[in-house]
Amino acid sequence: MATKIRLQRGGRKSYAFYSIVIADARAPRDGKFTEKIGSYNPNTNPATVNLNFERALYWVETGAQPTDTVRNILSAEGVYLMKHLRGGVKKGAFDEASAQKKFDAWKADKQKGLDKIAAEEAKAKKDAADKELAQEKKLNEEIAKKVAEKKAAIEAAKAEEEAAKAAEAAAAEQAEAPAEEAAAEAPAAE
């Protein structure tokens, strides 16, 4: 029986989620499978892979053929590196401890790269948020300036109106004062 390591689709429309399964090569994509060894979610950045490393290594060493996508996933997770290192141990090139040490060094370096990517992405998000906040503050300042100018224009119009009323009142008082003086002089003259 030819065994394949393949992806089995799940999730909803436009949001695919895959299980990494061991299946007969003749079985359909979402059909019967022998064992589920992990999952793959390409919707996150970076893609999320949950893998039973030991079982994946076992199936690769026993001759299961992965699809191209699964081969890339297994390679990125270090399954093929560990297979290569175990081959070196079997040949006597180095011992198991040095193989594990090399694998751990590779895994640490890979994790450092992933952390760097995550940090850059977080920094880019923060910079974008800061830029958006600065634009919003600038827009708010412009709006506040226009509102202040409008209020100042209204206050100036009110002040002019009050000044005009005060001038009218003063003119009326001046007009009344001579009339009152003339009225006061008229009875005295009689």
Side-chain angles (χ1 to χ4, degrees):
M1 173 174 94
T3 308
K4 290 282 247 184
I5 304 175
R6 64 167 54 155
L7 296 177
Q8 186 177 46
R9 192 179 195 284
R12 64 178 191 269
K13 184 176 181 181
S14 300
Y15 195 84
F17 183 86
Y18 299 94
S19 296
I20 302 171
V21 297
I22 308 300
D24 184 3
R26 298 167 293 184
R29 178 189 71 179
D30 297 336
K32 193 167 76 173
F33 60 90
T34 307
E35 181 182 354
K36 179 180 175 183
I37 60 171
S39 63
Y40 169 63
N41 184 1
N43 301 307
T44 60
N45 188 13
T48 306
V49 176
N50 295 322
L51 184 69
N52 183 341
F53 188 84
E54 292 301 319
R55 292 305 293 168
L57 185 61
Y58 165 78
W59 283 104
V60 167
E61 286 179 337
T62 55
Q65 292 299 309
T67 60
D68 292 338
T69 304
V70 174
R71 180 178 289 113
N72 291 337
I73 291 169
L74 295 178
S75 180
E77 291 297 310
V79 173
Y80 280 101
L81 176 65
M82 184 56 93
K83 179 184 176 192
H84 174 73
L85 292 173
R86 281 189 175 180
V89 170
K90 286 179 185 174
K91 291 178 182 176
F94 42 84
D95 61 345
E96 182 93 23
S98 62
Q100 188 62 40
K101 186 177 177 183
K102 287 180 182 181
F103 180 76
D104 292 339
W106 173 83
K107 195 74 168 173
D109 188 44
K110 182 177 186 277
Q111 187 61 40
K112 200 182 301 180
L114 291 175
D115 291 343
K116 182 180 177 185
I117 290 170
E120 287 173 358
E121 187 174 318
K123 185 178 184 294
K125 278 185 179 179
K126 185 180 182 303
D127 290 345
D130 289 346
K131 184 178 179 183
E132 188 175 315
L133 182 63
Q135 288 176 344
E136 190 173 334
K137 282 182 179 180
K138 184 178 178 183
L139 183 65
N140 287 344
E141 287 173 2
E142 289 174 6
I143 291 172
K145 185 178 178 183
K146 287 179 182 178
V147 168
E149 289 174 358
K150 192 173 182 180
K151 283 184 179 181
I154 291 171
E155 290 296 322
K158 281 184 181 179
E160 283 182 24
E161 190 177 306
E162 288 177 10
K165 283 183 181 178
E168 279 182 25
E173 280 183 26
Q174 287 177 357
E176 285 179 16
E180 286 178 8
E181 288 176 13
E185 288 178 11
E190 289 182 10

